[in-house]
Amino acid sequence: MRIATWNVNSVKQRIPRLLPWLDQRQPDVVCLQETKLSDDAFAELLGDELDRRGYAIAAHGEAQWNGVAVLSRAGLDDIVAGIADAPGFPLPEARAVSATCGGIKVHSVYAPNGRVPDSDHYHYKLAWLAALREMVREGPEATIVCGDMNIAPTDADVFDPDAYVGQTHVTPPERDALAQLQAVGLRDVVRDRWPTERVFTYWDYRAGMFHQDLGMRIDLVLATTTVADRVRAAWVDRHARKGSRPSDHAPVIVDLDEAPDGDIGPVVPPPSAPAARRGTVRLPQSR
């Protein structure tokens, strides 16, 4: 089974890239984030194309913002939209959907951004992650959580820790919230397989960040041991971030039981630029 997760940053804008990517990579299960479509609009826009490719759809969306989906050609049962007892801001947002696919409970999640440390939105992010943790804790033994967590787990997951001082995504409370989620029995399968490699999944559109490979790893695949022990390859499809009108995120692909492309490395293709020297680059929002 090939499972992928991708923050597409508007599925409507990304159709010219999403459909060919599905044909190229042939994932069995796809978790999408930032679909930015209501459920009816999602089905109207993509239903026929996905049906032709054999995918059933579990979508939980809203117009303009947020939105998540699970696409599966490995079965789609026990669909749950949202997270019980999750906070809203102020109302509940479309940030999580789960379903059972091929015997695995699959969660597609889009964590709140947090905006500014210690802001109301930041505390909402922490409370939302706590609600996700409790939902996953109650789940089955075979579980996988895929999505944009809006947290870089460690300093090794950003191109330069000095550039992120005072920013969200790297603060101790956020990382602790992520660690508590993992503590219910989830393993970071990319880091399991590539513990020391330079791996990013997100690059800001501004200032040529992608072309300089100045990114961060915030799109994660977290799996229980039952699932993680089946991983044969785990990699970032960096090619999907290239070219015309890309998302600012690249897909993360995980192969279970067998690897159609082989165990091909953490990032495909390799980064187009060497690592920047620490302390020499500022984030675009800091300028």
Side-chain angles (χ1 to χ4, degrees), residues 73-152:
R73 56 186 192 185
L76 192 71
D77 301 302
D78 310 317
I79 298 169
V80 177
I83 300 173
D85 301 321
F89 195 76
L91 300 175
E93 298 178 313
R95 292 187 174 275
V97 65
S98 62
T100 299
C101 309
I104 299 173
K105 187 69 170 181
V106 178
H107 297 262
S108 178
V109 301
Y110 174 46
N113 178 281
R115 299 182 185 174
V116 179
D118 209 33
S119 66
D120 289 345
H121 202 269
Y122 179 87
H123 291 291
Y124 159 55
K125 177 180 188 174
L126 299 180
W128 187 92
L129 287 164
L132 173 63
R133 180 188 70 226
E134 294 311 306
M135 182 181 188
V136 174
R137 188 198 302 274
E138 297 171 1
E141 184 178 351
T143 294
I144 193 165
V145 179
C146 304
D148 179 358
M149 303 305 298
N150 270 315
I151 300 170

Side-chain angles (χ1 to χ4, degrees), residues 39-51:
D39 295 350
D40 288 344
F42 190 103
E44 182 178 354
L45 185 68
L46 278 174
D48 290 345
E49 291 285 359
L50 294 174
D51 184 64

Side-chain angles (χ1 to χ4, degrees), residues 211-276:
H211 302 290
Q212 299 174 77
D213 199 36
L214 306 178
M216 61 195 313
R217 190 176 73 96
I218 57 177
D219 303 270
L220 307 180
V221 177
L222 308 175
T224 57
T225 295
T226 300
V227 179
D229 283 348
R230 296 170 58 190
V231 173
R232 298 296 175 264
W235 46 286
V236 176
D237 188 358
R238 193 174 184 272
H239 182 74
R241 177 62 174 81
K242 292 185 172 183
S244 174
R245 299 176 65 83
S247 171
D248 43 3
H249 298 251
V252 181
I253 296 176
V254 172
D255 291 319
L256 304 182
D257 302 325
E258 60 181 26
D261 297 301
D263 194 5
I264 54 178
V267 179
V268 179
S272 56

Side-chain angles (χ1 to χ4, degrees), residues 195-214:
T196 61
E197 297 288 339
R198 179 180 171 89
V199 186
F200 304 137
T201 64
Y202 165 85
W203 301 260
D204 197 297
Y205 283 127
R206 299 168 291 181
M209 300 289 275
F210 175 68
H211 302 290
Q212 299 174 77
D213 199 36
L214 306 178

